[in-house]
Amino acid sequence: MAEIRRFRLARQRRPRLPGLSFNRLLPNILTMLGLCAGMTAIRFAMDGRWEPAVTLIVVATFIDGLDGRLARLLQATSRFGAEFDSLSDFLCFGVAPAFILYLWTLHEARGFGFIPCLLFAACMALRLARFNAAIDAPVAPGSVPRPAGFFTGVPAPAGAGLALFPIFASLAFEGWGLSGTAHALRHPVFAAVVLVLVAGLLVSTLPTWSFKNFKVPSRVVLPLLLGAASYAALLVAEPWAALAAAGILYGIMIPLSLRSYHRLRAEAARRMAEAGAEAEAPAT
């Protein structure tokens, strides 16, 4: 009994170190890994190693999708983590893709090739700043609420993927032995047009699906699972073709998300009008 008492006293007297728990640091560690992936992608691009360079941008995209969800799961969200995540996103999805494309083909246009890169990075910074400012922005009284599940403009990871579409498609055609098509996709004009279009989508007010609160109808669950398995098999067999196809599918979904947004917003406006009419009706 005396030994048990001494053990309990030793446990009570053990000092506790001040600081944060590892669980609260884990999301920031993931963000740091994403930042390192973006920096390493720039290094590979400087060496002309395009495949590992764009692969690391894809890795940073997956990390960006995990760190926020992990922070909410562990209840480790903080203002510091949000700002750190935005700075990492600017490097990984704003600076790195533009730098890779400049070294891949746009440098052939000399100074003119740098203009789309600069525009893309600037639009990415503006898009992230607008996103951070919208977090604390109050909702105007009486205005129609914005439907949940939509981004304003194309999000940063998707913008980086769309910007790298020329490299994905060129590597896919080169792997299939179609060198002529691969060389055409590497033309500076095509890469510049893609960069400018994606830069415009970043700062646009187009609503795009966020898929965070996306509910899948029961009848399409099985086809969706089969489609995901098929895409995973394609990603293993033909990774560049799969990534290029993902960019095309995302571009197709933009007008679909716009139509869905306007339908949900019109429905919300109708409900607000009906609720206002009921409130103003005289009591009988």
Side-chain angles (χ1 to χ4, degrees), residues 249-271:
L249 290 176
Y250 188 86
I252 295 174
M253 284 193 301
I254 292 177
L256 298 179
S257 63
L258 179 63
R259 184 182 66 176
S260 176
Y261 174 83
H262 284 305
R263 178 177 57 82
L264 293 174
R265 192 172 178 86
E267 183 178 352
R270 179 181 58 80
R271 291 180 178 177

Side-chain angles (χ1 to χ4, degrees), residues 1-265:
M1 293 294 296
E3 293 180 357
I4 294 176
R5 290 177 181 175
R6 285 196 296 270
F7 177 73
R8 289 178 178 176
L9 288 174
R11 289 189 59 187
Q12 293 175 359
R13 295 173 181 173
R14 185 176 61 185
R16 292 188 177 183
L17 298 176
L20 298 176
S21 64
F22 181 77
N23 287 345
R24 296 185 65 86
L25 289 176
L26 189 57
N28 292 331
I29 293 175
L30 279 180
T31 304
M32 181 64 74
L33 292 177
L35 179 67
C36 295
M39 284 294 298
T40 309
I42 293 176
R43 177 192 171 238
F44 280 134
M46 294 175 65
D47 295 336
R49 301 170 63 183
W50 313 116
E51 294 186 5
V54 295
T55 299
L56 284 173
I57 299 298
V58 176
V59 171
T61 301
F62 282 105
I63 292 177
D64 182 71
L66 288 176
D67 57 2
R69 288 173 174 81
L70 185 63
R72 289 187 291 271
L73 180 64
L74 298 176
Q75 297 181 354
T77 57
S78 64
R79 188 65 182 180
F80 172 82
E83 296 296 335
F84 184 35
D85 184 69
S86 294
L87 292 174
S88 176
D89 288 351
F90 175 64
L91 174 70
C92 296
F93 309 132
V95 176
F99 191 78
I100 292 172
L101 282 168
Y102 180 78
L103 294 179
W104 184 62
T105 184
L106 289 173
H107 70 279
E108 298 178 2
R110 301 186 183 275
F112 292 102
F114 186 69
I115 296 175
C117 302
L118 186 61
L119 179 65
F120 178 80
C123 289
M124 183 65 73
L126 292 173
R127 190 260 178 278
L128 293 170
R130 182 180 63 185
F131 178 80
N132 290 344
I135 295 176
D136 301 326
V139 179
S143 62
V144 180
R146 181 181 178 86
F150 290 89
F151 288 119
T152 301
V154 172
L162 292 175
L164 294 175
F165 172 79
I167 301 182
F168 295 148
S170 179
L171 290 174
F173 282 108
E174 187 176 352
W176 296 335
L178 302 174
S179 302
T181 306
H183 182 72
L185 291 171
R186 195 168 179 171
H187 197 280
V189 174
F190 179 67
V193 170
V194 171
L195 264 185
V196 171
L197 289 177
V198 177
L201 290 175
L202 289 171
V203 295
S204 68
T205 57
L206 289 174
T208 56
W209 280 320
S210 66
F211 300 104
K212 291 181 180 179
N213 301 319
F214 192 77
K215 293 184 179 180
V216 180
S218 301
R219 64 181 183 276
V220 299
V221 170
L222 184 58
L224 182 62
L225 293 176
L226 293 177
S230 301
Y231 182 79
L234 179 63
L235 190 62
V236 173
E238 295 287 344
W240 309 122
L243 292 172
I248 295 174
L249 290 176
Y250 188 86
I252 295 174
M253 284 193 301
I254 292 177
L256 298 179
S257 63
L258 179 63
R259 184 182 66 176
S260 176
Y261 174 83
H262 284 305
R263 178 177 57 82
L264 293 174
R265 192 172 178 86

